[in-house]
Amino acid sequence: RADSALFAAKAAGRGRIHFFDTQMQGRAEERLDIETRLRRAIGERRLHLALQPQVDSAGAITGAEALIRISGDEPDWMSAASFIPVAEDCGLIVDIGQFVIAEAGRILADWARTPDSRDHRLSINASVSHFQTTDFVDRITEMLNHHALPGGRLRIELTEAVFALQGDTVKRTMQRLRELGVGISLDDFGTGYSSLAYLREFPIDEIKIDQSFVRSMLDANVIDRRLIEVIIDIGKTLQVDVIAEGVETQAHWDRLKAMGCRYFQGYFFGRPMLYRPDTPMSSER
Ligand code: C2E
Ligand code: MG
Ligand code: MG
Ligand code: MG
């Protein structure tokens, strides 16, 4: 949007500079508004996790991804995509992250009590800025100990932006997580700082094919299809799990399976559903 506003300003000449300023100011106000509402929501304990199922090639549930939601506000403000970037800028992401870790513990403890879900794995998203705080691993450790949970039940999703940080620190944090048995998943894979060397050098357990590739996979877009195949091959070579996100149709699923993908997540199997204890996670398909 920033690009198109700039383009409009340029195309129309000086007369439109004012229009551009107004737009920028509008965005700043919008961010401040989001920040205010976010602070209020945190204060009023209106953060929740929604769970979206992850399945294997047979369609059996293997676990879920936890996605943050806010209740009691306008529905159009519910998308994490709209407030996570603001939370990252204003530092609230650390509070959100602590909430997510604590809540993940509750969910995993609930799951552990039910035979059907005992082996399920929960993936949580961690912002790079939270991941690099010194007590990130301590919080995870405390949470696992508190509920007497094996680390293998938990996976941390990080974007490739993590590789822009100081490599040694990132590697040490990942290694400490691995010692706990906690998995590392690379989210939105293929859209960021991809490097084959990182995949080899860092203890990564899973890569998530970004949903943008899946979305265009069945178009005439041969390139995106090939890219998916390449990502699946990389996963096989490096022996990391590969999961496709944004699987919305049977055709997506069939095609991805034919390409050798083994794990799947998307609206076809289930939308993110607010977590309530005692309600078993079910596929909506
Ligand atoms: P993500 O981790 O890549 O999550 C996938 C996003 O795609 C989610 O949006 C999910 O609702 C949506 N999605 C799932 N299946 C489909 C599908 O089949 N089709 C389409 N079109 N979309 C699908 P959401 O919940 O709005 O989250 C957006 C992003 O916000 C996430 O992307 C993640 O980067 C971030 N996020 C969400 N929860 C958290 C959190 O607890 N902590 C942090 N740090 N970031 C979070
Ligand atoms: Mg994710
Ligand atoms: Mg993703
Ligand atoms: Mg994302």
Side-chain angles (χ1 to χ4, degrees), residues 65 125 157 159 187-189 208-211 245:
E65 176 177 7
N125 293 280
E157 295 193 5
T159 61
D187 206 349
D188 306 343
F189 186 79
K208 291 191 90 168
I209 301 174
D210 188 64
Q211 50 185 278
E245 59 180 13

Side-chain angles (χ1 to χ4, degrees), residues 5-14 16-17:
L6 186 58
F7 179 75
K10 276 184 183 158
R14 284 171 190 274
R16 296 298 285 273
I17 295 294

Side-chain angles (χ1 to χ4, degrees), residues 30 33-34 37-38 41 45-51 66-85 96 267 271-276:
E30 191 187 319
D33 182 48
I34 291 174
R37 295 208 249 169
L38 189 52
R45 299 178 175 277
R46 284 188 281 109
L47 297 185
H48 307 272
L49 289 183
L51 298 182
L67 295 155
I68 193 89
R69 295 290 181 266
I70 287 178
S71 67
D73 234 311
E74 293 94 287
D76 69 343
W77 199 56
M78 293 285 280
S79 163
S82 66
F83 65 83
I84 286 293
I96 292 176
Y267 295 165
R271 299 215 167 219
M273 288 165 280
L274 270 194
Y275 179 72
R276 307 203 191 289

Side-chain angles (χ1 to χ4, degrees), residues 13-74:
R14 284 171 190 274
R16 296 298 285 273
I17 295 294
H18 173 70
F19 158 79
F20 180 53
D21 284 350
T22 314
Q23 277 225 336
M24 275 184 45
Q25 193 188 336
R27 271 198 300 278
E29 279 165 10
E30 191 187 319
R31 286 181 92 79
L32 197 60
D33 182 48
I34 291 174
E35 182 182 334
T36 307
R37 295 208 249 169
L38 189 52
R39 276 186 204 284
R40 201 180 335 125
I42 292 172
E44 293 169 1
R45 299 178 175 277
R46 284 188 281 109
L47 297 185
H48 307 272
L49 289 183
L51 298 182
Q52 184 176 36
Q54 299 180 330
V55 307
D56 64 17
S57 308
I61 293 180
T62 57
E65 176 177 7
L67 295 155
I68 193 89
R69 295 290 181 266
I70 287 178
S71 67
D73 234 311
E74 293 94 287

